[in-house]
Amino acid sequence: MPKVSIIVPIYNVMDQLQRCLDSIANQTFENFEVILLNDGSTDESASVAKKICQNNSKFTYTEHENMGLGPTRNKGIELATGEYLMFVDSDDFLELDAIQTLYESISSKNSDISCGNFKFYFDDKKLNFVNGNIKKEDYINLENMSLEDFSKKYYLSRVYSYSAWDKMYRKEFITNNNIVFGDNKKIFAEDNYFQLQIILNKPTISFTDKVIYNYYQRSNSIMNTFKPNLIERQINMIALLDEENKNNRDDFFTYILAPLTLETIIMEAINMKDDPNRITKYKISMEKLRSYYLFNEAIKNMLRYKVYSLYSGFNKKLFIYTISYLEKKKFVNLSDKIVTKVYFK
């Protein structure tokens, strides 16, 4: 049985796919399997994937009609036979010692999850490290840490990122707790939905500051295109998580879901940045969000527990402005400020 199962969803990435697969095939760690899942690609991605499977027995290939990233990853989890899981997006690539680094971290600490550092590329231009706050050999146990401390020190600061791909997971922890990716046609941010379920189950987490992953974002990628029904999908995700945690609601809602609902405001502003009618549409989206009962509770909790204190600097000011606007105090016109003055000068 392989120690590590690497799950690679594929969708129309023929120009970047070979680089991704080569970075996995050439790993210094050898005891792994690679599950390639073609999610209905219409380009030549299938040919690239099938070719490496012919030449390397560690790689297996399966294909299905397009169903989205979340369900495709779930299918990969079902097919995986390894003790540990990793997820690699098919337009990204690994450092050659990535599996070895994460495996040593997770096995030496006997943790449920190990997290590494990553580099960020935009159309082949390398940018600064995104996750530079990770401290070498850091280790936490969520059973012994308050959600307030975790949110402030790890989650909102992105030390523990929202992403699936900069980590290694103990498969037993994922399957025993029925942790799955969301359907991105129904919810927004299937990666974050996965991570928040993990947080609810209080894992042990080890960290390494070593770079293990290269995140590649194309100017025409899904991250940089308009996202339909963003508000509705974000509300769906928050409602699902709230339902899962209904018996222990206060801390998780206050320190995790309340800030997350407010971050939706910024996401929708970025989502509409190229729309000529963005101000009007943004106000409509905000009214839709404000009519949702959990959002109103989030605003109250932000005020009652001073949750905005979890943030610092500009983000703290932005969230105070947000709360004031949503409480209908005449402190700032949030729509104009975010959409026009803050992000899109």
Side-chain angles (χ1 to χ4, degrees), residues 194-225:
F194 188 76
Q195 301 305 334
L196 291 169
Q197 291 171 82
I198 286 172
I199 293 168
L200 279 171
N201 285 284
K202 300 184 182 302
T204 54
I205 307 171
S206 54
F207 296 85
T208 174
D209 62 353
K210 194 167 184 178
V211 173
I212 55 97
Y213 198 89
N214 296 281
Y215 175 68
Y216 180 76
Q217 190 173 123
R218 296 165 288 159
S219 55
N220 63 345
S221 73
I222 190 170
M223 291 293 292
N224 291 293
T225 54

PDB file of all heavy atoms in Angstrom, residues 194-225:
ATOM      1  N   PHE A 194     -13.927  22.676   3.099  1.00  0.00           N
ATOM      2  CA  PHE A 194     -13.173  21.503   3.527  1.00  0.00           C
ATOM      3  C   PHE A 194     -12.369  21.820   4.784  1.00  0.00           C
ATOM      4  O   PHE A 194     -12.394  21.069   5.770  1.00  0.00           O
ATOM      5  CB  PHE A 194     -12.244  21.083   2.378  1.00  0.00           C
ATOM      6  CG  PHE A 194     -11.515  19.781   2.577  1.00  0.00           C
ATOM      7  CD1 PHE A 194     -12.167  18.573   2.432  1.00  0.00           C
ATOM      8  CD2 PHE A 194     -10.160  19.765   2.871  1.00  0.00           C
ATOM      9  CE1 PHE A 194     -11.494  17.366   2.589  1.00  0.00           C
ATOM     10  CE2 PHE A 194      -9.472  18.571   3.027  1.00  0.00           C
ATOM     11  CZ  PHE A 194     -10.139  17.375   2.883  1.00  0.00           C
ATOM     12  N   GLN A 195     -11.667  22.968   4.790  1.00  0.00           N
ATOM     13  CA  GLN A 195     -10.834  23.331   5.935  1.00  0.00           C
ATOM     14  C   GLN A 195     -11.667  23.609   7.187  1.00  0.00           C
ATOM     15  O   GLN A 195     -11.264  23.256   8.301  1.00  0.00           O
ATOM     16  CB  GLN A 195      -9.971  24.558   5.605  1.00  0.00           C
ATOM     17  CG  GLN A 195      -9.036  24.385   4.422  1.00  0.00           C
ATOM     18  CD  GLN A 195      -8.114  23.181   4.549  1.00  0.00           C
ATOM     19  OE1 GLN A 195      -7.795  22.733   5.650  1.00  0.00           O
ATOM     20  NE2 GLN A 195      -7.698  22.638   3.416  1.00  0.00           N
ATOM     21  N   LEU A 196     -12.814  24.229   7.017  1.00  0.00           N
ATOM     22  CA  LEU A 196     -13.646  24.556   8.170  1.00  0.00           C
ATOM     23  C   LEU A 196     -14.246  23.310   8.810  1.00  0.00           C
ATOM     24  O   LEU A 196     -14.414  23.242  10.037  1.00  0.00           O
ATOM     25  CB  LEU A 196     -14.734  25.541   7.772  1.00  0.00           C
ATOM     26  CG  LEU A 196     -14.207  26.943   7.433  1.00  0.00           C
ATOM     27  CD1 LEU A 196     -15.289  27.789   6.782  1.00  0.00           C
ATOM     28  CD2 LEU A 196     -13.670  27.643   8.668  1.00  0.00           C
ATOM     29  N   GLN A 197     -14.556  22.293   8.010  1.00  0.00           N
ATOM     30  CA  GLN A 197     -14.973  21.014   8.589  1.00  0.00           C
ATOM     31  C   GLN A 197     -13.828  20.391   9.385  1.00  0.00           C
ATOM     32  O   GLN A 197     -14.044  19.807  10.458  1.00  0.00           O
ATOM     33  CB  GLN A 197     -15.401  20.046   7.486  1.00  0.00           C
ATOM     34  CG  GLN A 197     -16.691  20.414   6.777  1.00  0.00           C
ATOM     35  CD  GLN A 197     -16.913  19.521   5.578  1.00  0.00           C
ATOM     36  OE1 GLN A 197     -17.406  18.412   5.714  1.00  0.00           O
ATOM     37  NE2 GLN A 197     -16.497  19.975   4.410  1.00  0.00           N
ATOM     38  N   ILE A 198     -12.628  20.527   8.858  1.00  0.00           N
ATOM     39  CA  ILE A 198     -11.462  20.019   9.579  1.00  0.00           C
ATOM     40  C   ILE A 198     -11.329  20.713  10.929  1.00  0.00           C
ATOM     41  O   ILE A 198     -11.134  20.074  11.970  1.00  0.00           O
ATOM     42  CB  ILE A 198     -10.186  20.225   8.728  1.00  0.00           C
ATOM     43  CG1 ILE A 198     -10.164  19.216   7.568  1.00  0.00           C
ATOM     44  CG2 ILE A 198      -8.925  20.088   9.585  1.00  0.00           C
ATOM     45  CD1 ILE A 198      -9.054  19.452   6.575  1.00  0.00           C
ATOM     46  N   ILE A 199     -11.456  22.037  10.938  1.00  0.00           N
ATOM     47  CA  ILE A 199     -11.334  22.806  12.180  1.00  0.00           C
ATOM     48  C   ILE A 199     -12.376  22.353  13.203  1.00  0.00           C
ATOM     49  O   ILE A 199     -12.089  22.231  14.395  1.00  0.00           O
ATOM     50  CB  ILE A 199     -11.461  24.311  11.881  1.00  0.00           C
ATOM     51  CG1 ILE A 199     -10.255  24.783  11.068  1.00  0.00           C
ATOM     52  CG2 ILE A 199     -11.588  25.124  13.168  1.00  0.00           C
ATOM     53  CD1 ILE A 199     -10.420  26.162  10.474  1.00  0.00           C
ATOM     54  N   LEU A 200     -13.595  22.106  12.731  1.00  0.00           N
ATOM     55  CA  LEU A 200     -14.660  21.659  13.632  1.00  0.00           C
ATOM     56  C   LEU A 200     -14.306  20.353  14.352  1.00  0.00           C
ATOM     57  O   LEU A 200     -14.769  20.106  15.471  1.00  0.00           O
ATOM     58  CB  LEU A 200     -15.962  21.469  12.850  1.00  0.00           C
ATOM     59  CG  LEU A 200     -16.780  22.720  12.549  1.00  0.00           C
ATOM     60  CD1 LEU A 200     -17.911  22.392  11.593  1.00  0.00           C
ATOM     61  CD2 LEU A 200     -17.343  23.305  13.839  1.00  0.00           C
ATOM     62  N   ASN A 201     -13.476  19.536  13.717  1.00  0.00           N
ATOM     63  CA  ASN A 201     -13.118  18.239  14.292  1.00  0.00           C
ATOM     64  C   ASN A 201     -11.808  18.270  15.069  1.00  0.00           C
ATOM     65  O   ASN A 201     -11.289  17.213  15.428  1.00  0.00           O
ATOM     66  CB  ASN A 201     -13.071  17.186  13.183  1.00  0.00           C
ATOM     67  CG  ASN A 201     -14.462  16.770  12.723  1.00  0.00           C
ATOM     68  OD1 ASN A 201     -15.154  16.018  13.397  1.00  0.00           O
ATOM     69  ND2 ASN A 201     -14.892  17.301  11.578  1.00  0.00           N
ATOM     70  N   LYS A 202     -11.288  19.471  15.334  1.00  0.00           N
ATOM     71  CA  LYS A 202     -10.167  19.712  16.254  1.00  0.00           C
ATOM     72  C   LYS A 202      -8.967  18.811  16.007  1.00  0.00           C
ATOM     73  O   LYS A 202      -8.599  17.966  16.847  1.00  0.00           O
ATOM     74  CB  LYS A 202     -10.655  19.571  17.689  1.00  0.00           C
ATOM     75  CG  LYS A 202     -11.758  20.562  18.051  1.00  0.00           C
ATOM     76  CD  LYS A 202     -12.149  20.470  19.501  1.00  0.00           C
ATOM     77  CE  LYS A 202     -13.285  21.432  19.840  1.00  0.00           C
ATOM     78  NZ  LYS A 202     -12.952  22.844  19.548  1.00  0.00           N
ATOM     79  N   PRO A 203      -8.298  18.977  14.887  1.00  0.00           N
ATOM     80  CA  PRO A 203      -7.139  18.137  14.578  1.00  0.00           C
ATOM     81  C   PRO A 203      -5.872  18.611  15.292  1.00  0.00           C
ATOM     82  O   PRO A 203      -5.818  19.695  15.883  1.00  0.00           O
ATOM     83  CB  PRO A 203      -6.979  18.349  13.068  1.00  0.00           C
ATOM     84  CG  PRO A 203      -7.411  19.780  12.870  1.00  0.00           C
ATOM     85  CD  PRO A 203      -8.574  19.959  13.825  1.00  0.00           C
ATOM     86  N   THR A 204      -4.851  17.791  15.208  1.00  0.00           N
ATOM     87  CA  THR A 204      -3.494  18.230  15.515  1.00  0.00           C
ATOM     88  C   THR A 204      -2.844  18.631  14.193  1.00  0.00           C
ATOM     89  O   THR A 204      -3.041  17.967  13.163  1.00  0.00           O
ATOM     90  CB  THR A 204      -2.676  17.118  16.185  1.00  0.00           C
ATOM     91  OG1 THR A 204      -2.719  15.939  15.360  1.00  0.00           O
ATOM     92  CG2 THR A 204      -3.247  16.784  17.547  1.00  0.00           C
ATOM     93  N   ILE A 205      -2.092  19.729  14.210  1.00  0.00           N
ATOM     94  CA  ILE A 205      -1.529  20.290  12.971  1.00  0.00           C
ATOM     95  C   ILE A 205      -0.061  20.613  13.182  1.00  0.00           C
ATOM     96  O   ILE A 205       0.303  21.281  14.156  1.00  0.00           O
ATOM     97  CB  ILE A 205      -2.270  21.583  12.560  1.00  0.00           C
ATOM     98  CG1 ILE A 205      -3.781  21.356  12.495  1.00  0.00           C
ATOM     99  CG2 ILE A 205      -1.752  22.083  11.216  1.00  0.00           C
ATOM    100  CD1 ILE A 205      -4.585  22.636  12.306  1.00  0.00           C
ATOM    101  N   SER A 206       0.781  20.140  12.274  1.00  0.00           N
ATOM    102  CA  SER A 206       2.196  20.498  12.293  1.00  0.00           C
ATOM    103  C   SER A 206       2.497  21.395  11.095  1.00  0.00           C
ATOM    104  O   SER A 206       1.853  21.306  10.055  1.00  0.00           O
ATOM    105  CB  SER A 206       3.073  19.245  12.258  1.00  0.00           C
ATOM    106  OG  SER A 206       2.742  18.415  11.161  1.00  0.00           O
ATOM    107  N   PHE A 207       3.464  22.272  11.266  1.00  0.00           N
ATOM    108  CA  PHE A 207       3.821  23.246  10.237  1.00  0.00           C
ATOM    109  C   PHE A 207       5.310  23.168   9.926  1.00  0.00           C
ATOM    110  O   PHE A 207       6.124  22.877  10.798  1.00  0.00           O
ATOM    111  CB  PHE A 207       3.516  24.678  10.709  1.00  0.00           C
ATOM    112  CG  PHE A 207       2.066  24.967  10.954  1.00  0.00           C
ATOM    113  CD1 PHE A 207       1.483  24.665  12.176  1.00  0.00           C
ATOM    114  CD2 PHE A 207       1.276  25.556   9.970  1.00  0.00           C
ATOM    115  CE1 PHE A 207       0.150  24.947  12.420  1.00  0.00           C
ATOM    116  CE2 PHE A 207      -0.053  25.835  10.201  1.00  0.00           C
ATOM    117  CZ  PHE A 207      -0.626  25.525  11.426  1.00  0.00           C
ATOM    118  N   THR A 208       5.638  23.433   8.684  1.00  0.00           N
ATOM    119  CA  THR A 208       7.019  23.644   8.284  1.00  0.00           C
ATOM    120  C   THR A 208       7.081  24.915   7.451  1.00  0.00           C
ATOM    121  O   THR A 208       6.170  25.188   6.658  1.00  0.00           O
ATOM    122  CB  THR A 208       7.582  22.460   7.469  1.00  0.00           C
ATOM    123  OG1 THR A 208       8.881  22.797   6.984  1.00  0.00           O
ATOM    124  CG2 THR A 208       6.690  22.110   6.290  1.00  0.00           C
ATOM    125  N   ASP A 209       8.145  25.695   7.640  1.00  0.00           N
ATOM    126  CA  ASP A 209       8.268  26.925   6.860  1.00  0.00           C
ATOM    127  C   ASP A 209       8.911  26.681   5.499  1.00  0.00           C
ATOM    128  O   ASP A 209       9.095  27.597   4.712  1.00  0.00           O
ATOM    129  CB  ASP A 209       9.059  27.992   7.635  1.00  0.00           C
ATOM    130  CG  ASP A 209      10.484  27.564   7.928  1.00  0.00           C
ATOM    131  OD1 ASP A 209      10.832  26.400   7.645  1.00  0.00           O
ATOM    132  OD2 ASP A 209      11.251  28.401   8.442  1.00  0.00           O
ATOM    133  N   LYS A 210       9.214  25.432   5.198  1.00  0.00           N
ATOM    134  CA  LYS A 210       9.857  25.099   3.928  1.00  0.00           C
ATOM    135  C   LYS A 210       8.853  25.194   2.776  1.00  0.00           C
ATOM    136  O   LYS A 210       7.713  24.748   2.886  1.00  0.00           O
ATOM    137  CB  LYS A 210      10.435  23.687   3.993  1.00  0.00           C
ATOM    138  CG  LYS A 210      11.398  23.372   2.864  1.00  0.00           C
ATOM    139  CD  LYS A 210      12.167  22.091   3.149  1.00  0.00           C
ATOM    140  CE  LYS A 210      13.206  21.852   2.054  1.00  0.00           C
ATOM    141  NZ  LYS A 210      13.992  20.625   2.336  1.00  0.00           N
ATOM    142  N   VAL A 211       9.257  25.766   1.675  1.00  0.00           N
ATOM    143  CA  VAL A 211       8.391  25.877   0.492  1.00  0.00           C
ATOM    144  C   VAL A 211       8.226  24.508  -0.142  1.00  0.00           C
ATOM    145  O   VAL A 211       9.208  23.827  -0.461  1.00  0.00           O
ATOM    146  CB  VAL A 211       8.977  26.864  -0.535  1.00  0.00           C
ATOM    147  CG1 VAL A 211       8.168  26.835  -1.833  1.00  0.00           C
ATOM    148  CG2 VAL A 211       9.004  28.277   0.032  1.00  0.00           C
ATOM    149  N   ILE A 212       6.972  24.103  -0.311  1.00  0.00           N
ATOM    150  CA  ILE A 212       6.697  22.787  -0.909  1.00  0.00           C
ATOM    151  C   ILE A 212       5.842  22.887  -2.172  1.00  0.00           C
ATOM    152  O   ILE A 212       5.758  21.938  -2.941  1.00  0.00           O
ATOM    153  CB  ILE A 212       6.011  21.847   0.117  1.00  0.00           C
ATOM    154  CG1 ILE A 212       4.727  22.476   0.704  1.00  0.00           C
ATOM    155  CG2 ILE A 212       6.955  21.502   1.239  1.00  0.00           C
ATOM    156  CD1 ILE A 212       3.469  22.060   0.073  1.00  0.00           C
ATOM    157  N   TYR A 213       5.217  24.044  -2.397  1.00  0.00           N
ATOM    158  CA  TYR A 213       4.197  24.138  -3.452  1.00  0.00           C
ATOM    159  C   TYR A 213       4.362  25.432  -4.236  1.00  0.00           C
ATOM    160  O   TYR A 213       4.727  26.474  -3.680  1.00  0.00           O
ATOM    161  CB  TYR A 213       2.804  24.108  -2.810  1.00  0.00           C
ATOM    162  CG  TYR A 213       1.669  23.780  -3.755  1.00  0.00           C
ATOM    163  CD1 TYR A 213       1.267  22.475  -3.979  1.00  0.00           C
ATOM    164  CD2 TYR A 213       0.987  24.788  -4.431  1.00  0.00           C
ATOM    165  CE1 TYR A 213       0.215  22.168  -4.833  1.00  0.00           C
ATOM    166  CE2 TYR A 213      -0.065  24.490  -5.288  1.00  0.00           C
ATOM    167  CZ  TYR A 213      -0.452  23.176  -5.489  1.00  0.00           C
ATOM    168  OH  TYR A 213      -1.482  22.878  -6.337  1.00  0.00           O
ATOM    169  N   ASN A 214       4.097  25.350  -5.525  1.00  0.00           N
ATOM    170  CA  ASN A 214       4.126  26.514  -6.413  1.00  0.00           C
ATOM    171  C   ASN A 214       2.735  26.731  -6.995  1.00  0.00           C
ATOM    172  O   ASN A 214       2.268  25.940  -7.816  1.00  0.00           O
ATOM    173  CB  ASN A 214       5.139  26.302  -7.536  1.00  0.00           C
ATOM    174  CG  ASN A 214       6.556  26.194  -7.008  1.00  0.00           C
ATOM    175  OD1 ASN A 214       7.192  27.185  -6.698  1.00  0.00           O
ATOM    176  ND2 ASN A 214       7.044  24.961  -6.891  1.00  0.00           N
ATOM    177  N   TYR A 215       2.094  27.777  -6.513  1.00  0.00           N
ATOM    178  CA  TYR A 215       0.712  28.083  -6.901  1.00  0.00           C
ATOM    179  C   TYR A 215       0.742  29.007  -8.114  1.00  0.00           C
ATOM    180  O   TYR A 215       1.302  30.098  -8.068  1.00  0.00           O
ATOM    181  CB  TYR A 215      -0.019  28.739  -5.736  1.00  0.00           C
ATOM    182  CG  TYR A 215      -1.414  29.202  -6.066  1.00  0.00           C
ATOM    183  CD1 TYR A 215      -2.428  28.287  -6.328  1.00  0.00           C
ATOM    184  CD2 TYR A 215      -1.723  30.563  -6.118  1.00  0.00           C
ATOM    185  CE1 TYR A 215      -3.710  28.705  -6.631  1.00  0.00           C
ATOM    186  CE2 TYR A 215      -3.000  30.990  -6.432  1.00  0.00           C
ATOM    187  CZ  TYR A 215      -3.984  30.061  -6.681  1.00  0.00           C
ATOM    188  OH  TYR A 215      -5.252  30.489  -6.985  1.00  0.00           O
ATOM    189  N   TYR A 216       0.130  28.551  -9.188  1.00  0.00           N
ATOM    190  CA  TYR A 216       0.185  29.262 -10.468  1.00  0.00           C
ATOM    191  C   TYR A 216      -1.203  29.768 -10.820  1.00  0.00           C
ATOM    192  O   TYR A 216      -2.153  28.988 -10.944  1.00  0.00           O
ATOM    193  CB  TYR A 216       0.689  28.312 -11.554  1.00  0.00           C
ATOM    194  CG  TYR A 216       0.787  28.920 -12.932  1.00  0.00           C
ATOM    195  CD1 TYR A 216       1.832  29.788 -13.251  1.00  0.00           C
ATOM    196  CD2 TYR A 216      -0.144  28.616 -13.914  1.00  0.00           C
ATOM    197  CE1 TYR A 216       1.932  30.337 -14.520  1.00  0.00           C
ATOM    198  CE2 TYR A 216      -0.053  29.166 -15.182  1.00  0.00           C
ATOM    199  CZ  TYR A 216       0.987  30.021 -15.484  1.00  0.00           C
ATOM    200  OH  TYR A 216       1.078  30.569 -16.740  1.00  0.00           O
ATOM    201  N   GLN A 217      -1.329  31.076 -10.961  1.00  0.00           N
ATOM    202  CA  GLN A 217      -2.614  31.663 -11.313  1.00  0.00           C
ATOM    203  C   GLN A 217      -2.527  32.316 -12.689  1.00  0.00           C
ATOM    204  O   GLN A 217      -1.669  33.153 -12.936  1.00  0.00           O
ATOM    205  CB  GLN A 217      -3.041  32.693 -10.274  1.00  0.00           C
ATOM    206  CG  GLN A 217      -4.485  33.153 -10.476  1.00  0.00           C
ATOM    207  CD  GLN A 217      -4.950  34.051  -9.352  1.00  0.00           C
ATOM    208  OE1 GLN A 217      -5.375  35.175  -9.579  1.00  0.00           O
ATOM    209  NE2 GLN A 217      -4.871  33.566  -8.119  1.00  0.00           N
ATOM    210  N   ARG A 218      -3.422  31.887 -13.556  1.00  0.00           N
ATOM    211  CA  ARG A 218      -3.489  32.475 -14.893  1.00  0.00           C
ATOM    212  C   ARG A 218      -4.438  33.665 -14.892  1.00  0.00           C
ATOM    213  O   ARG A 218      -5.402  33.703 -14.146  1.00  0.00           O
ATOM    214  CB  ARG A 218      -3.999  31.417 -15.887  1.00  0.00           C
ATOM    215  CG  ARG A 218      -3.082  30.227 -16.073  1.00  0.00           C
ATOM    216  CD  ARG A 218      -3.811  29.079 -16.756  1.00  0.00           C
ATOM    217  NE  ARG A 218      -4.775  28.436 -15.856  1.00  0.00           N
ATOM    218  CZ  ARG A 218      -5.796  27.705 -16.261  1.00  0.00           C
ATOM    219  NH1 ARG A 218      -6.035  27.552 -17.548  1.00  0.00           N
ATOM    220  NH2 ARG A 218      -6.603  27.157 -15.381  1.00  0.00           N
ATOM    221  N   SER A 219      -4.169  34.630 -15.763  1.00  0.00           N
ATOM    222  CA  SER A 219      -5.029  35.811 -15.830  1.00  0.00           C
ATOM    223  C   SER A 219      -6.440  35.450 -16.269  1.00  0.00           C
ATOM    224  O   SER A 219      -7.402  36.164 -15.984  1.00  0.00           O
ATOM    225  CB  SER A 219      -4.434  36.846 -16.794  1.00  0.00           C
ATOM    226  OG  SER A 219      -4.208  36.270 -18.072  1.00  0.00           O
ATOM    227  N   ASN A 220      -6.596  34.305 -16.943  1.00  0.00           N
ATOM    228  CA  ASN A 220      -7.934  33.877 -17.376  1.00  0.00           C
ATOM    229  C   ASN A 220      -8.472  32.732 -16.530  1.00  0.00           C
ATOM    230  O   ASN A 220      -9.403  32.040 -16.915  1.00  0.00           O
ATOM    231  CB  ASN A 220      -7.903  33.448 -18.852  1.00  0.00           C
ATOM    232  CG  ASN A 220      -7.001  32.245 -19.097  1.00  0.00           C
ATOM    233  OD1 ASN A 220      -6.187  31.885 -18.245  1.00  0.00           O
ATOM    234  ND2 ASN A 220      -7.129  31.622 -20.256  1.00  0.00           N
ATOM    235  N   SER A 221      -7.868  32.514 -15.349  1.00  0.00           N
ATOM    236  CA  SER A 221      -8.318  31.405 -14.500  1.00  0.00           C
ATOM    237  C   SER A 221      -9.627  31.758 -13.827  1.00  0.00           C
ATOM    238  O   SER A 221     -10.067  32.908 -13.804  1.00  0.00           O
ATOM    239  CB  SER A 221      -7.260  31.087 -13.440  1.00  0.00           C
ATOM    240  OG  SER A 221      -7.245  32.103 -12.459  1.00  0.00           O
ATOM    241  N   ILE A 222     -10.228  30.742 -13.187  1.00  0.00           N
ATOM    242  CA  ILE A 222     -11.505  30.947 -12.500  1.00  0.00           C
ATOM    243  C   ILE A 222     -11.381  31.956 -11.366  1.00  0.00           C
ATOM    244  O   ILE A 222     -12.323  32.641 -11.004  1.00  0.00           O
ATOM    245  CB  ILE A 222     -12.058  29.595 -11.977  1.00  0.00           C
ATOM    246  CG1 ILE A 222     -13.496  29.752 -11.480  1.00  0.00           C
ATOM    247  CG2 ILE A 222     -11.170  29.044 -10.865  1.00  0.00           C
ATOM    248  CD1 ILE A 222     -14.172  28.437 -11.177  1.00  0.00           C
ATOM    249  N   MET A 223     -10.147  32.079 -10.810  1.00  0.00           N
ATOM    250  CA  MET A 223      -9.931  33.027  -9.727  1.00  0.00           C
ATOM    251  C   MET A 223     -10.065  34.464 -10.199  1.00  0.00           C
ATOM    252  O   MET A 223     -10.285  35.377  -9.418  1.00  0.00           O
ATOM    253  CB  MET A 223      -8.543  32.812  -9.106  1.00  0.00           C
ATOM    254  CG  MET A 223      -8.407  31.512  -8.347  1.00  0.00           C
ATOM    255  SD  MET A 223      -9.424  31.475  -6.857  1.00  0.00           S
ATOM    256  CE  MET A 223      -8.601  32.701  -5.856  1.00  0.00           C
ATOM    257  N   ASN A 224      -9.894  34.679 -11.523  1.00  0.00           N
ATOM    258  CA  ASN A 224      -9.903  36.033 -12.054  1.00  0.00           C
ATOM    259  C   ASN A 224     -11.062  36.290 -13.006  1.00  0.00           C
ATOM    260  O   ASN A 224     -11.015  37.205 -13.814  1.00  0.00           O
ATOM    261  CB  ASN A 224      -8.572  36.306 -12.777  1.00  0.00           C
ATOM    262  CG  ASN A 224      -7.423  36.372 -11.799  1.00  0.00           C
ATOM    263  OD1 ASN A 224      -7.344  37.272 -10.975  1.00  0.00           O
ATOM    264  ND2 ASN A 224      -6.544  35.392 -11.873  1.00  0.00           N
ATOM    265  N   THR A 225     -12.082  35.470 -12.925  1.00  0.00           N
ATOM    266  CA  THR A 225     -13.262  35.670 -13.750  1.00  0.00           C
ATOM    267  C   THR A 225     -14.478  35.870 -12.852  1.00  0.00           C
ATOM    268  O   THR A 225     -14.466  35.535 -11.674  1.00  0.00           O
ATOM    269  CB  THR A 225     -13.497  34.449 -14.669  1.00  0.00           C
ATOM    270  OG1 THR A 225     -13.554  33.263 -13.874  1.00  0.00           O
ATOM    271  CG2 THR A 225     -12.367  34.319 -15.679  1.00  0.00           C
TER     272      THR A 225
END
